[in-house]
Amino acid sequence: MRKRIREIVVEAVEVLYGQKIDLKIVQIQRTRKDFTGDLTIVVFPFVKLAKKKPEDCANDIGLYIKNNLEQLSSYNVIKGFLNLSFTSEYWLERLGNIHKSFDGNAPVDQPEKIMVEFSSPNTNKPLHLGHVRNNLIGDSVSRILKAAGHDVMRVNLVNDRGIHICKSMQAYLDFDSDGSPDKAGMKGDKYVGDLYVKFDQQYKGQVADLIESGMSEDDAKQKAPIMQAAKTMLQKWEAGDEEVHALWEKMNAWVYEGFDRTYEKMGIEFEKTYYESNTYKSGREIVLNGLEKGVFYKREDGSVWADLTDAKLDEKIVLRADGTSLYMTQDIGTAVERFENQQLDRHIYVVGNEQNYHFQVLKLILGRLGYPWAEKIQHMSYGMVELPEGKMKSREGKVVDADDLIDDMIQTSSDMSKELGKLESLSDDEQYNVHKMIALGALKYFMLKVDPKKNMIFNPKESIDFNGHTGPFIQYTHARIRSVVRKAKAMNINVPTSVAEDTKMNDKELDLIKYIDQFEIVIQEAAEELDPGMIANYAYDLAKDFNHYYHDYSILKAQDGKLLQFRLFLADQVSKNLKFAMKLLGIDVPEIM
RNA sequence: GGUCUAGUAGCUCAGUUGGAUUAGAGCAACGGCCUUCUAAGCCGUAGGUCCCAGGUUCGAGCCCUGGCUAGAUCACCA
């Protein structure tokens, strides 16, 4: 409809004022609540062309549209705003079409093949709330892009090598050398994470002792025996030492088992998992090649650098003096490999905003190396999750653990539910599933409703809400509608497959239809902006509107059968849209709660 | 010091190509509504110098400039 109106406006301006204008300068927006109308055209851009007052200009165009669009019922003009209202037949037809064919997808004209990399954990510590935000954003963005018709491939890049893993390994040898998660009765990732904390405690103790015995702080940090041991272990690992590799594989396997359980609980999946131990050497050839082409330069010590001072990005090292790869080198290598092997149109990296600089540099370097797709890498930067006292620190145990948080929330959800006592007809398993669905709904919605790029503060002492602007609010609205549909069925009234053209609607019903109609645009905008928050807000607004309606009008006690059928039809579509919207956030909705 | 990001109600946040007298939600506070389709709901009251100062224009919370505050980053760590 918007497209048609644009075309008619362009036509109108040409006929009325003899001026050709571009489709894009026709501004169409939803009419604000306090004014009459469905869509609004802003006529200020045409005022100069028309050489008329805004009001007159709007009236001219309004009349032209009225004569050329049968679905238009009326128009009104306030200042430079032309408000258009459509006939109720038009809206009923829209609702009917949506009900018949809308499946939660809104494909764009030009679908792309997009790889989304997210999660990317280290194997020395369990997942915490920061990872949860990353996972949820990555998951939701992938779902939204898919709904917008793109071919999406979700991948995880596990950082499974380096000094941090060696620290956990060293602590294992020193403190629990024949232990295991089973013996300790712990999840594998927790067990290894605890060893990492133990390493840090031991290390700090040793440093303190050395300083006491007269050593400088810098020296003490270098010479602490446990750190030395960890470094030696890393060298052995790099040299392919069998014993070290065996231990490394054993401990990583524990961690993966733990991660898998957490991912499963959160409902997160990947098409492919990459491991850094396989890719950490890549990119070296490409850099050497770039050196020949003069994109990089070599310093006296043999290290290779990119001079980005002309782009205000300083100088960046891309290869060590000993010729080995760095983080940047690897990312250059994997990007090239992925674009060339997978024929990607776009690559999105869901990575915290602390790495904004890294990705700016990566993009710039790839461009200078002459890759035409350099502009197609996109850093989906999101803000940190902080505690009231500041950043989370795994080493000091100051973290909100993902599993603990989810379990706590399931407990809360279960307590609340039992108090309300609405699930008594269900089996224990079914009840648990609903409790879990609601807990995850609250957590996911909480993290996804806010703008991803902003930092957020999480106070563990204040539990995440289940009332108000929350996931459970929307889940509840859905469950209420499903309950009505069930009751109707029990009365032998099924949701009809179409609506009568001459149904008499009230304003709230009309508003709901307009809101339902809005969803496809919202999906496409959210995909464009990579912003799950837009979907979250849409679902909330729709649920809120429906709750007003539900409060004011009875569906099952409508005045006559025809109206009852229409209301059921409308409510059913609201529940579908809520379900689709929540699915895009990775949230399931219950039939009862 | 350079670069980047953010600053909206007591708290958490919406407000996206700049739009329409009175800047919206939720939480917390206060007051109402359950013999009527699920009260995890609905209605109402109260709460604001949209960080500050200039500028651009028909119009600025949004754009530009300068400042203030907070954070990130500029490593032969990833």
Side-chain angles (χ1 to χ4, degrees):
Chain A
M1 183 49 91
R2 288 182 181 222
K3 202 172 170 188
R4 270 188 73 190
I5 291 173
R6 280 211 171 83
E7 286 163 4
I8 293 174
V9 171
V10 170
E11 205 180 294
V13 171
E14 195 175 351
V15 172
L16 297 167
Y17 311 126
Q19 303 271 358
K20 282 224 174 221
I21 55 165
D22 195 87
L23 272 181
K24 283 177 198 153
I25 69 168
V26 182
Q27 289 183 44
I28 298 183
Q29 50 199 244
R30 281 185 72 198
T31 302
R32 296 234 163 164
K33 279 252 150 135
D34 347 326
F35 299 89
T36 326
D38 299 331
L39 289 179
T40 295
I41 297 170
V42 184
V43 298
F44 288 110
F46 318 132
V47 170
K48 275 179 194 159
L49 301 174
K51 293 172 189 140
K52 285 189 171 185
K53 282 191 218 159
E55 288 87 341
D56 296 341
C57 186
N59 273 309
D60 289 350
I61 295 172
L63 186 63
Y64 189 91
I65 297 174
K66 179 90 177 85
N67 291 333
N68 288 277
L69 187 70
E70 58 171 324
Q71 291 93 337
L72 194 80
S73 60
S74 67
Y75 67 93
N76 66 80
V77 173
I78 297 170
K79 294 188 180 174
F81 299 93
L82 171 59
N83 300 320
L84 307 175
S85 302
F86 302 111
T87 59
S88 60
E89 288 79 15
Y90 166 74
W91 286 115
L92 286 168
E93 194 191 329
R94 272 300 292 156
L95 178 64
N97 288 339
I98 290 168
H99 196 276
K100 196 191 294 174
S101 58
F102 182 58
D103 61 356
N105 294 303
V108 293
D109 295 335
Q110 293 175 319
E112 299 170 52
K113 177 160 187 189
I114 305 175
M115 181 178 280
V116 182
E117 181 188 292
F118 65 103
S119 200
S120 309
N122 290 349
T123 56
N124 64 327
K125 51 194 173 202
L127 303 177
H128 60 61
L129 194 52
H131 298 113
V132 172
R133 189 175 194 190
N134 179 303
N135 289 333
L136 297 180
I137 290 172
D139 179 61
S140 179
V141 163
S142 301
R143 289 168 188 268
I144 291 166
L145 288 169
K146 212 164 188 172
H150 300 294
D151 177 7
V152 179
M153 183 173 179
R154 18 168 96 210
V155 305
N156 188 359
L157 173 63
V158 180
N159 177 10
D160 62 342
R161 60 164 286 278
I163 189 70
H164 47 280
I165 285 99
C166 291
K167 290 178 181 175
S168 291
M169 286 158 65
Q170 189 59 46
Y172 178 73
L173 293 180
D174 287 354
F175 307 118
D176 199 18
S177 61
D178 60 352
S180 73
D182 278 350
K183 284 185 196 167
M186 297 170 81
K187 254 174 105 231
D189 53 335
K190 295 282 191 310
Y191 177 75
V192 174
D194 280 2
L195 288 169
Y196 184 70
V197 172
K198 244 178 227 169
F199 175 95
D200 198 59
Q201 289 165 350
Q202 186 71 10
Y203 168 64
K204 280 190 175 145
Q206 290 181 356
V207 169
D209 290 349
L210 288 171
I211 290 173
E212 196 151 314
S213 68
M215 198 178 274
S216 76
E217 192 182 333
D218 284 351
D219 278 354
K221 282 183 176 171
Q222 292 293 317
K223 298 249 164 72
I226 195 165
M227 182 61 87
Q228 298 259 331
K231 283 182 181 165
T232 305
M233 191 177 278
L234 181 60
Q235 283 163 7
K236 282 186 179 173
W237 184 91
E238 303 226 340
D241 181 287
E242 277 185 29
E243 220 170 294
V244 171
H245 269 254
L247 176 61
W248 172 73
E249 280 174 15
K250 177 166 87 173
M251 291 182 66
N252 274 345
W254 291 338
V255 174
Y256 297 147
E257 186 270 335
F259 282 175
D260 285 347
R261 277 162 64 185
T262 307
Y263 284 136
E264 211 233 313
K265 199 184 305 190
M266 285 197 291
I268 306 276
E269 288 173 0
F270 301 95
E271 261 87 48
K272 187 169 171 54
T273 300
Y274 292 97
Y275 297 92
E276 230 175 71
S277 53
N278 294 328
T279 62
Y280 78 104
K281 289 177 178 165
S282 69
R284 192 169 170 270
E285 292 303 317
I286 295 163
V287 167
L288 291 175
N289 205 281
L291 184 62
E292 268 175 40
K293 286 198 283 187
V295 177
F296 307 120
Y297 73 94
K298 197 175 223 169
R299 288 193 180 167
E300 280 181 12
D301 61 6
S303 56
V304 179
W305 295 71
D307 183 354
L308 309 172
T309 46
D310 51 337
K312 293 183 177 177
L313 288 171
D314 293 324
E315 301 189 325
K316 184 76 189 175
I317 183 160
V318 289
L319 211 57
R320 287 195 184 93
D322 64 7
T324 56
S325 300
L326 293 120
Y327 180 37
M328 184 58 71
T329 331
Q330 291 172 46
D331 266 3
I332 293 170
T334 53
V336 172
E337 191 213 319
R338 288 175 187 180
F339 267 93
E340 292 184 349
N341 293 349
Q342 315 270 1
Q343 268 94 48
L344 302 180
D345 296 310
R346 188 148 47 123
H347 191 338
I348 297 170
Y349 297 83
V350 181
V351 179
N353 61 14
E354 54 198 355
Q355 292 190 29
N356 287 353
Y357 173 75
H358 173 81
F359 283 98
Q360 257 183 304
V361 170
L362 177 64
K363 194 183 253 196
L364 188 60
I365 287 179
L366 288 168
R368 292 193 177 177
L369 286 168
Y371 295 104
W373 42 261
E375 280 306 308
K376 302 296 176 65
I377 71 170
Q378 200 170 359
H379 177 206
M380 157 101 218
S381 168
Y382 66 91
M384 300 287 101
V385 182
E386 290 172 4
L387 300 173
E389 60 269 25
K391 284 189 81 166
M392 290 195 252
K393 290 175 185 153
S394 298
R395 271 180 294 186
E396 297 168 21
K398 285 183 196 162
V399 288
V400 177
D401 180 80
D403 295 312
D404 293 350
L405 179 64
I406 293 170
D407 292 344
D408 280 358
M409 292 193 62
I410 293 175
Q411 189 57 50
T412 308
S413 156
S414 167
D415 292 346
M416 287 177 77
S417 176
K418 280 179 182 145
E419 205 169 305
L420 293 167
K422 292 175 186 171
L423 299 181
E424 278 148 12
S425 62
L426 301 182
S427 72
D428 286 356
D429 275 1
E430 287 169 333
Q431 287 191 25
Y432 176 79
N433 282 338
V434 174
H435 299 156
K436 187 177 154 193
M437 208 184 274
I438 294 168
L440 284 171
L443 175 62
K444 291 185 178 185
Y445 195 88
F446 174 78
M447 310 233 38
L448 289 173
K449 78 173 174 184
V450 310
D451 185 344
K453 68 173 178 286
K454 289 187 179 170
N455 286 358
M456 65 192 293
I457 294 175
F458 177 80
N459 188 346
K461 287 180 195 126
E462 292 169 17
S463 51
I464 294 175
D465 252 305
F466 287 78
N467 298 317
H469 187 178
T470 65
F473 173 90
I474 297 160
Q475 290 173 316
Y476 175 72
T477 307
H478 177 268
R480 267 211 308 207
I481 297 174
R482 297 326 298 169
S483 170
V484 171
V485 171
R486 277 194 303 276
K487 290 232 158 100
K489 207 171 237 173
M491 293 158 60
N492 265 325
I493 304 166
N494 284 313
V495 177
T497 52
S498 64
V499 270
E501 256 183 52
D502 58 345
T503 306
K504 291 266 178 292
M505 287 183 283
N506 61 46
D507 287 351
K508 285 197 168 149
E509 286 161 343
L510 193 55
D511 280 347
L512 282 171
I513 296 177
K514 289 179 201 166
Y515 222 82
I516 287 166
D517 180 48
Q518 190 74 4
F519 192 27
E520 294 185 54
I521 292 172
V522 173
I523 292 172
Q524 295 191 346
E525 282 175 357
E528 182 71 32
E529 303 292 328
L530 303 180
D531 185 2
M534 297 174 78
I535 303 288
N537 285 325
Y538 172 81
Y540 176 69
D541 289 339
L542 179 60
K544 200 168 171 55
D545 267 9
F546 182 82
N547 282 338
H548 292 158
Y549 174 65
Y550 180 92
H551 182 263
D552 291 351
Y553 298 94
S554 175
I555 296 165
L556 297 178
K557 289 184 183 151
Q559 293 87 319
D560 58 68
K562 199 166 141 193
L563 192 60
L564 194 163
Q565 289 218 323
F566 165 71
R567 288 184 174 173
L568 198 57
F569 188 82
L570 177 63
D572 185 62
Q573 187 56 45
V574 170
S575 78
K576 283 183 178 170
N577 271 28
L578 292 178
K579 185 174 188 168
F580 292 144
M582 293 296 263
K583 195 74 198 165
L584 295 181
L585 304 177
I587 300 172
D588 292 320
V589 290
E591 294 290 312
I592 308 179
M593 72 180 270

